[in-house]
Amino acid sequence: MKHWVGKRFKIHYFILLTALGVLCASAVEQLNVAKLVSKMQSQYGEDAGKRTQAWRNIIEQQQQATDQQKLQSVNRFFNLFEFVDDIKLWKQEDYWATPLEFIGHRAGDCEDFTIAKYFTLLELGVDINKLRLTYVKAVKLNQFHMVLAYYETPKSMPLILDNLDGEIKPAVKRRDLVPIFSFNGQQLWLNKQKGKGQLVGSSERLDHWDNLSKRYQLAEFKQ
């Protein structure tokens, strides 16, 4: 993720709820996986097609798994990808890749890891209310960073899925991270301490998501 220290930290405001509803609706419908794999192979190369097939295999095979098993499987799969800054990969200061773009390149920054894990877990049936994309300060790196937090219950200490540390740990054990704010498809929270946050508004106020949701459409691959 970008080195924002010394710069004014800007929270991006999104238009989300309607677009996310479309995404979630398309996610639960049966996809033509062969068509999707073919498109990814054509656009990004043979290895991208294999990664896409492996991704869809996880989604198919893990439907009846526990949330914990789904978290482990998804986190492990995407953490095999390479971290690359947006400016190098996309020639932009801040670009949020769709899961397909991330899988196609097998590379991205922390937001791309988090977004791909988030949407994959939604496809696996994990309750949206248990997931939050969370901005944190990575203390050792002295920079802002994004992770995915999973809440078993609204009052639970969240589990953290992160590309910096591949082991899923409770937030209280991630003393190297300082939470700032978090969001999902429904709400935006200002985090005061690990595992707790004050609700500050709807995530429809946040702006990169509108662009992302328009680009991440699976409708053409429906059966």
Side-chain angles (χ1 to χ4, degrees):
M1 190 171 172
K2 312 301 169 297
H3 295 262
W4 292 346
V5 177
K7 298 180 180 179
R8 183 178 179 182
F9 179 53
K10 180 182 179 182
I11 297 178
H12 301 284
Y13 292 99
F14 289 71
I15 302 171
L16 168 65
L17 292 181
T18 300
L20 186 66
V22 172
L23 287 175
C24 290
S26 65
V28 298
E29 293 185 35
Q30 188 69 30
L31 297 183
N32 185 329
V33 174
K35 183 178 180 181
L36 174 59
V37 169
S38 178
K39 175 70 176 292
M40 292 290 285
Q41 183 172 324
S42 174
Q43 186 168 353
Y44 297 103
E46 183 177 353
D47 286 345
K50 294 177 180 178
R51 289 192 295 274
T52 303
Q53 183 65 64
W55 172 54
R56 299 315 303 182
N57 287 345
I58 290 172
I59 292 172
E60 179 182 352
Q61 295 166 6
Q62 295 284 316
Q63 288 293 331
Q64 303 305 316
T66 66
D67 277 6
Q68 295 289 334
Q69 291 169 329
K70 292 173 181 178
L71 296 178
Q72 292 289 347
S73 181
V74 170
N75 192 59
R76 182 167 53 249
F77 175 75
F78 285 113
N79 280 355
L80 294 173
F81 289 24
E82 181 183 359
F83 179 91
V84 178
D85 278 318
D86 286 341
I87 197 67
K88 181 177 180 179
L89 185 60
W90 298 104
K91 307 298 188 268
Q92 296 183 33
E93 284 293 328
D94 195 13
Y95 181 83
W96 286 23
T98 69
L100 296 182
E101 291 170 328
F102 185 48
I103 292 168
H105 286 279
R106 195 183 172 275
D109 68 1
C110 61
E111 291 130 331
D112 304 329
F113 281 88
T114 302
I115 289 165
K117 293 173 186 179
Y118 174 77
F119 279 115
T120 301
L121 288 168
L122 287 183
E123 278 205 70
L124 281 168
V126 176
D127 188 341
I128 191 173
N129 295 304
K130 295 183 176 183
L131 299 173
R132 297 185 195 176
L133 298 92
T134 304
Y135 272 106
V136 298
K137 176 72 173 296
V139 177
K140 293 180 181 178
L141 297 178
N142 194 32
Q143 67 185 53
F144 291 98
H145 179 56
M146 184 187 277
V147 299
L148 184 63
Y150 169 85
Y151 293 75
E152 178 63 34
T153 71
K155 295 184 178 180
S156 294
M157 176 65 62
L159 297 175
I160 303 302
L161 286 69
D162 184 15
N163 64 291
L164 293 179
D165 185 340
E167 183 181 351
I168 298 175
K169 298 175 181 177
V172 70
K173 292 188 176 181
R174 293 300 306 273
R175 299 185 184 279
D176 57 317
L177 305 178
V178 178
I180 300 171
F181 77 95
S182 59
F183 63 97
N184 64 12
Q186 298 174 334
Q187 302 290 351
L188 172 68
W189 292 266
L190 179 64
N191 290 78
K192 292 186 174 182
Q193 56 182 301
K194 293 183 189 298
K196 298 182 180 180
Q198 178 183 3
L199 188 62
V200 295
S202 170
S203 59
E204 65 180 347
R205 298 173 54 194
L206 282 146
D207 102 305
H208 271 329
W209 201 280
D210 182 43
N211 180 273
L212 170 69
S213 64
K214 289 175 180 176
R215 289 183 289 110
Y216 185 44
Q217 298 294 334
L218 298 177
E220 65 177 294
F221 305 109
K222 294 177 185 176
Q223 294 281 25

